[in-house]
Coordinates of all heavy atoms in Angstrom, one line a residue:
T1379 N 15.8 0.0 -7.3 CA 15.9 1.3 -8.0 C 17.1 1.4 -8.9 O 17.1 1.9 -10.0 CB 15.9 2.4 -6.9 OG1 14.7 2.4 -6.2 CG2 16.1 3.8 -7.6
S1380 N 18.2 0.8 -8.4 CA 19.5 0.9 -9.2 C 19.3 0.0 -10.5 O 19.8 0.4 -11.5 CB 20.7 0.4 -8.4 OG 20.6 -0.9 -8.0
A1381 N 18.7 -1.2 -10.3 CA 18.5 -2.1 -11.5 C 17.7 -1.4 -12.5 O 17.9 -1.4 -13.7 CB 17.8 -3.4 -11.0
S1382 N 16.6 -0.7 -12.1 CA 15.7 0.0 -13.0 C 16.4 1.2 -13.6 O 16.3 1.4 -14.8 CB 14.4 0.4 -12.2 OG 13.5 1.0 -13.1
A1383 N 17.0 2.0 -12.8 CA 17.7 3.2 -13.3 C 18.8 2.9 -14.3 O 18.9 3.5 -15.4 CB 18.4 4.0 -12.1
A1384 N 19.5 1.8 -14.0 CA 20.6 1.4 -15.0 C 20.0 1.0 -16.3 O 20.5 1.4 -17.4 CB 21.4 0.3 -14.4
A1385 N 18.9 0.3 -16.3 CA 18.3 -0.2 -17.6 C 17.7 1.0 -18.4 O 18.0 1.1 -19.6 CB 17.2 -1.2 -17.3
Y1386 N 17.0 1.8 -17.7 CA 16.4 3.0 -18.5 C 17.4 4.0 -18.9 O 17.3 4.5 -20.0 CB 15.2 3.6 -17.7 CG 14.0 2.7 -17.7 CD1 13.8 1.8 -16.7 CD2 13.1 2.8 -18.7 CE1 12.7 0.9 -16.8 CE2 12.0 2.0 -18.8 CZ 11.8 1.1 -17.8 OH 10.7 0.2 -17.9
A1387 N 18.5 4.2 -18.1 CA 19.5 5.0 -18.5 C 20.2 4.5 -19.8 O 20.5 5.2 -20.7 CB 20.6 5.2 -17.4
A1388 N 20.4 3.2 -19.8 CA 21.1 2.5 -20.9 C 20.2 2.8 -22.2 O 20.7 3.2 -23.3 CB 21.2 1.0 -20.7
A1389 N 18.9 2.6 -22.1 CA 18.0 2.7 -23.2 C 18.0 4.2 -23.7 O 17.8 4.5 -24.9 CB 16.6 2.3 -22.9
A1390 N 18.1 5.1 -22.8 CA 18.0 6.5 -23.1 C 19.4 7.2 -23.4 O 19.4 8.3 -23.8 CB 17.3 7.3 -21.9
G1391 N 20.4 6.4 -23.2 CA 21.8 6.9 -23.5 C 22.3 7.9 -22.5 O 23.0 8.8 -22.8
L1392 N 21.9 7.7 -21.2 CA 22.4 8.5 -20.1 C 23.3 7.7 -19.2 O 23.2 6.4 -19.2 CB 21.2 9.0 -19.3 CG 20.2 9.9 -19.9 CD1 19.1 10.3 -18.9 CD2 20.8 11.1 -20.6
E1393 N 24.2 8.4 -18.5 CA 25.0 7.7 -17.5 C 24.2 7.4 -16.3 O 23.4 8.3 -15.8 CB 26.2 8.6 -17.2 CG 27.3 7.9 -16.3 CD 28.4 8.9 -16.0 OE1 28.6 9.9 -16.8 OE2 29.1 8.7 -15.0
A1394 N 24.4 6.3 -15.6 CA 23.7 6.0 -14.4 C 24.7 5.8 -13.3 O 25.7 5.1 -13.4 CB 22.9 4.7 -14.5
I1395 N 24.5 6.5 -12.2 CA 25.3 6.4 -11.0 C 24.5 5.9 -9.8 O 23.4 6.5 -9.6 CB 25.9 7.8 -10.6 CG1 26.7 8.3 -11.8 CG2 26.8 7.7 -9.4 CD1 26.9 9.8 -11.8
V1396 N 24.8 4.8 -9.2 CA 24.0 4.3 -8.1 C 24.8 4.1 -6.9 O 25.9 3.6 -6.9 CB 23.3 2.9 -8.5 CG1 22.5 3.1 -9.8 CG2 24.3 1.8 -8.7
L1397 N 24.2 4.6 -5.8 CA 24.9 4.5 -4.4 C 24.1 3.4 -3.6 O 22.9 3.5 -3.4 CB 24.8 5.8 -3.7 CG 26.0 6.8 -4.0 CD1 26.0 7.2 -5.4 CD2 25.8 8.0 -3.1
L1398 N 24.9 2.4 -3.2 CA 24.3 1.3 -2.5 C 24.8 1.1 -1.1 O 26.0 1.3 -0.9 CB 24.5 0.0 -3.3 CG 24.2 0.0 -4.8 CD1 24.7 -1.3 -5.5 CD2 22.7 0.1 -5.0
P1399 N 24.0 0.7 -0.2 CA 24.6 0.4 1.2 C 25.5 -0.9 1.1 O 25.1 -1.9 0.5 CB 23.3 0.1 2.0 CG 22.2 0.0 1.1 CD 22.6 0.5 -0.2
A1400 N 26.7 -0.8 1.7 CA 27.6 -1.9 1.5 C 27.1 -3.2 2.0 O 26.5 -3.3 3.1 CB 28.9 -1.5 2.3
G1401 N 27.3 -4.2 1.1 CA 27.0 -5.6 1.6 C 25.6 -6.0 1.8 O 25.3 -7.1 2.2
K1402 N 24.6 -5.1 1.5 CA 23.2 -5.5 1.8 C 22.3 -5.5 0.5 O 21.1 -5.3 0.7 CB 22.7 -4.4 2.8 CG 23.4 -4.4 4.1 CD 23.1 -5.6 5.0 CE 23.8 -5.5 6.3 NZ 23.4 -6.6 7.2
I1403 N 23.0 -5.7 -0.6 CA 22.2 -5.7 -1.8 C 22.0 -7.1 -2.3 O 23.0 -7.8 -2.4 CB 22.8 -4.8 -2.9 CG1 23.0 -3.4 -2.4 CG2 22.0 -4.8 -4.2 CD1 21.8 -2.7 -2.1
A1404 N 20.8 -7.5 -2.7 CA 20.5 -8.8 -3.2 C 21.3 -9.0 -4.5 O 21.4 -8.1 -5.3 CB 19.0 -9.0 -3.4
A1405 N 21.9 -10.2 -4.7 CA 22.8 -10.5 -5.8 C 22.2 -10.2 -7.1 O 22.9 -9.6 -8.0 CB 23.2 -11.9 -5.7
G1406 N 21.0 -10.5 -7.4 CA 20.4 -10.3 -8.7 C 20.3 -8.8 -9.1 O 20.5 -8.4 -10.2
K1407 N 20.0 -8.0 -8.1 CA 19.8 -6.6 -8.3 C 21.1 -5.9 -8.7 O 21.2 -5.1 -9.5 CB 19.2 -5.9 -7.1 CG 17.8 -6.6 -6.7 CD 17.3 -5.9 -5.4 CE 16.1 -6.7 -4.9 NZ 15.5 -6.2 -3.7
L1408 N 22.2 -6.3 -7.9 CA 23.5 -5.8 -8.1 C 24.0 -6.1 -9.5 O 24.5 -5.3 -10.3 CB 24.4 -6.3 -7.1 CG 25.8 -5.7 -7.0 CD1 25.7 -4.2 -6.7 CD2 26.6 -6.4 -5.8
L1409 N 23.7 -7.4 -9.9 CA 24.1 -7.9 -11.2 C 23.4 -7.1 -12.3 O 24.0 -6.7 -13.3 CB 23.7 -9.4 -11.3 CG 24.1 -10.1 -12.5 CD1 25.6 -10.0 -12.8 CD2 23.8 -11.6 -12.4
Q1410 N 22.2 -6.8 -12.1 CA 21.4 -6.0 -13.1 C 22.1 -4.6 -13.3 O 22.2 -4.1 -14.4 CB 20.0 -5.8 -12.7 CG 19.1 -7.1 -12.8 CD 17.7 -6.8 -12.3 OE1 17.5 -6.6 -11.1 NE2 16.8 -6.7 -13.3
A1411 N 22.4 -4.0 -12.2 CA 23.0 -2.6 -12.3 C 24.3 -2.7 -13.1 O 24.6 -1.9 -14.0 CB 23.2 -2.0 -11.0
F1412 N 25.2 -3.7 -12.8 CA 26.5 -3.8 -13.5 C 26.3 -4.2 -14.9 O 26.9 -3.6 -15.8 CB 27.3 -4.9 -12.8 CG 28.0 -4.5 -11.6 CD1 27.8 -5.1 -10.4 CD2 29.0 -3.5 -11.6 CE1 28.5 -4.7 -9.2 CE2 29.7 -3.1 -10.5 CZ 29.4 -3.7 -9.3
A1413 N 25.4 -5.1 -15.2 CA 25.2 -5.6 -16.5 C 24.8 -4.4 -17.5 O 25.1 -4.4 -18.6 CB 24.1 -6.7 -16.6
A1414 N 24.0 -3.5 -16.9 CA 23.5 -2.4 -17.7 C 24.5 -1.2 -17.8 O 24.3 -0.2 -18.5 CB 22.2 -1.8 -17.2
G1415 N 25.7 -1.4 -17.1 CA 26.7 -0.4 -17.3 C 26.7 0.7 -16.3 O 27.3 1.8 -16.6
A1416 N 26.0 0.6 -15.2 CA 25.9 1.7 -14.2 C 27.3 1.8 -13.5 O 28.0 0.8 -13.4 CB 24.8 1.4 -13.2
K1417 N 27.6 3.0 -13.0 CA 28.7 3.2 -12.1 C 28.2 2.9 -10.7 O 27.3 3.6 -10.2 CB 29.2 4.6 -12.2 CG 30.0 4.9 -13.4 CD 30.8 6.2 -13.4 CE 31.6 6.3 -14.6 NZ 31.6 7.7 -15.2
V1418 N 28.7 1.9 -10.1 CA 28.2 1.4 -8.8 C 29.1 1.8 -7.7 O 30.3 1.5 -7.7 CB 28.0 -0.1 -8.8 CG1 27.6 -0.6 -7.4 CG2 27.1 -0.6 -9.9
I1419 N 28.6 2.6 -6.7 CA 29.4 3.0 -5.6 C 28.8 2.4 -4.3 O 27.6 2.6 -4.0 CB 29.4 4.6 -5.5 CG1 30.1 5.1 -6.8 CG2 30.2 5.0 -4.2 CD1 30.0 6.6 -6.9
S1420 N 29.6 1.7 -3.5 CA 29.2 1.1 -2.3 C 29.5 2.1 -1.1 O 30.6 2.5 -1.0 CB 29.9 -0.2 -2.1 OG 29.7 -0.7 -0.8
I1421 N 28.4 2.4 -0.4 CA 28.6 3.4 0.7 C 28.7 2.6 2.0 O 28.0 1.7 2.3 CB 27.2 4.2 0.8 CG1 27.0 5.0 -0.4 CG2 27.3 5.1 2.0 CD1 28.0 6.1 -0.7
D1422 N 29.7 3.1 2.8 CA 29.9 2.5 4.1 C 28.8 3.1 5.1 O 29.1 3.9 6.0 CB 31.3 2.8 4.6 CG 31.6 2.1 5.9 OD1 30.9 1.2 6.3 OD2 32.6 2.5 6.6
G1423 N 27.6 2.7 4.8 CA 26.5 3.2 5.6 C 25.2 2.5 5.1 O 25.3 1.6 4.2
N1424 N 24.1 3.0 5.5 CA 22.8 2.3 5.1 C 22.1 3.1 4.0 O 22.7 4.2 3.5 CB 21.9 2.0 6.3 CG 21.5 3.3 7.0 OD1 21.4 4.4 6.4 ND2 21.2 3.2 8.3
F1425 N 20.9 2.7 3.6 CA 20.2 3.4 2.5 C 20.0 4.9 2.8 O 20.1 5.7 2.0 CB 18.9 2.7 2.2 CG 18.0 3.5 1.3 CD1 18.1 3.4 -0.1 CD2 17.0 4.4 1.8 CE1 17.3 4.2 -0.9 CE2 16.2 5.2 1.0 CZ 16.4 5.1 -0.4
D1426 N 19.6 5.1 4.1 CA 19.3 6.5 4.5 C 20.5 7.4 4.3 O 20.4 8.6 3.9 CB 18.8 6.5 5.9 CG 17.5 5.6 6.1 OD1 16.5 5.8 5.4 OD2 17.6 4.6 6.8
D1427 N 21.7 6.9 4.6 CA 22.9 7.7 4.4 C 23.2 7.9 3.0 O 23.5 9.0 2.6 CB 24.1 6.9 5.0 CG 24.0 6.6 6.5 OD1 23.5 7.4 7.2 OD2 24.4 5.5 6.9
A1428 N 22.9 6.9 2.1 CA 23.2 7.0 0.7 C 22.2 8.1 0.1 O 22.6 8.9 -0.7 CB 22.9 5.7 0.0
L1429 N 21.0 8.1 0.6 CA 20.0 9.1 0.0 C 20.4 10.5 0.4 O 20.3 11.4 -0.4 CB 18.6 8.7 0.5 CG 17.5 9.6 0.0 CD1 17.5 9.6 -1.6 CD2 16.1 9.2 0.5
E1430 N 20.9 10.7 1.6 CA 21.4 12.0 2.0 C 22.5 12.5 1.0 O 22.5 13.7 0.6 CB 22.1 12.0 3.4 CG 21.1 12.0 4.5 CD 20.1 13.2 4.5 OE1 20.6 14.3 4.2 OE2 18.9 13.0 4.6
I1431 N 23.4 11.6 0.7 CA 24.5 12.0 -0.3 C 24.0 12.3 -1.6 O 24.4 13.3 -2.3 CB 25.6 10.9 -0.3 CG1 26.2 10.7 1.0 CG2 26.6 11.1 -1.4 CD1 27.0 9.4 1.2
V1432 N 23.0 11.5 -2.1 CA 22.4 11.7 -3.4 C 21.7 13.1 -3.5 O 21.8 13.8 -4.5 CB 21.4 10.6 -3.7 CG1 20.5 11.0 -4.9 CG2 22.2 9.3 -4.1
R1433 N 21.0 13.4 -2.4 CA 20.3 14.7 -2.4 C 21.3 15.9 -2.6 O 21.1 16.8 -3.3 CB 19.7 15.0 -1.0 CG 18.4 14.2 -0.8 CD 17.9 14.5 0.6 NE 16.8 13.7 1.1 CZ 15.5 13.9 1.0 NH1 15.1 14.9 0.3 NH2 14.6 13.0 1.5
E1434 N 22.5 15.8 -2.0 CA 23.6 16.8 -2.2 C 24.2 16.8 -3.6 O 24.4 17.8 -4.2 CB 24.6 16.7 -1.1 CG 24.1 17.1 0.2 CD 25.3 17.4 1.2 OE1 26.3 17.8 0.8 OE2 25.0 17.1 2.4
L1435 N 24.4 15.6 -4.1 CA 25.0 15.4 -5.5 C 24.0 16.1 -6.5 O 24.4 16.8 -7.4 CB 25.2 14.0 -5.8 CG 26.4 13.2 -5.2 CD1 26.4 11.8 -5.7 CD2 27.7 13.9 -5.6
G1436 N 22.7 15.8 -6.3 CA 21.7 16.2 -7.3 C 21.5 17.7 -7.2 O 21.2 18.4 -8.2
A1437 N 21.6 18.2 -5.9 CA 21.4 19.7 -5.7 C 22.5 20.5 -6.5 O 22.3 21.7 -6.7 CB 21.4 20.0 -4.2
G1438 N 23.6 19.9 -6.8 CA 24.7 20.6 -7.5 C 24.4 20.9 -8.9 O 25.2 21.6 -9.6
G1439 N 23.3 20.4 -9.5 CA 23.0 20.6 -10.9 C 24.0 19.9 -11.8 O 24.3 18.8 -11.5
G1440 N 24.4 20.6 -12.8 CA 25.4 20.0 -13.7 C 24.9 18.8 -14.5 O 25.7 17.9 -14.9

Side-chain angles (χ1 to χ4, degrees):
T1379 296
S1380 65
S1382 186
Y1386 283 90
L1392 303 179
E1393 187 182 337
I1395 303 159
V1396 305
L1397 274 62
L1398 308 173
K1402 299 286 184 179
I1403 303 298
K1407 304 175 188 180
L1408 190 56
L1409 184 55
Q1410 285 180 288
F1412 278 120
K1417 288 193 175 137
V1418 177
I1419 301 172
S1420 168
I1421 298 292
D1422 185 17
N1424 60 30
F1425 170 84
D1426 304 300
D1427 301 322
L1429 185 57
E1430 281 304 316
I1431 296 168
V1432 163
R1433 283 180 195 269
E1434 287 196 32
L1435 284 179

